[in-house]
Amino acid sequence: IQINRIAAARGMSVQKVEKLVLERSIQPSFGILGQTRVNVLEINIALDQAKKRFNKMEGRGELSSSF
């Protein structure tokens, strides 16, 4: 998994990136057919949106420690 690299490249915490990835993971069909996978485009959009929210909060002095 590339969560550490993605977090570093985006300036985000590993925990936040991991949470976004887990929330958008696609489980195997019927729970057994195939592997867990992710939609990379969907994750990238979610990461962009999270970063925008963070930047807005930072600008207003509402910085959350969870980012």
Side-chain angles (χ1 to χ4, degrees):
I1 274 195
Q2 301 177 22
I3 289 177
N4 292 333
R5 184 188 62 78
I6 293 167
R10 293 205 175 241
M12 298 172 71
S13 72
V14 171
Q15 293 82 10
K16 182 68 174 176
V17 174
E18 189 173 53
K19 180 181 179 216
L20 290 170
V21 170
L22 290 174
E23 288 172 349
R24 287 157 180 83
S25 294
I26 302 165
Q27 299 303 314
S29 300
F30 306 110
I32 57 169
L33 299 176
Q35 297 180 337
T36 301
R37 57 196 189 280
V38 295
N39 180 323
V40 175
L41 176 61
E42 187 176 307
I43 297 235
N44 283 331
I45 291 169
L47 289 167
D48 289 343
Q49 290 172 344
K51 187 66 172 179
K52 285 178 187 175
R53 283 192 307 271
F54 174 76
N55 288 339
K56 284 182 185 178
M57 288 175 13
E58 187 177 42
R60 292 190 308 244
E62 301 173 8
L63 188 58
S64 170
S65 61
S66 66
F67 198 83

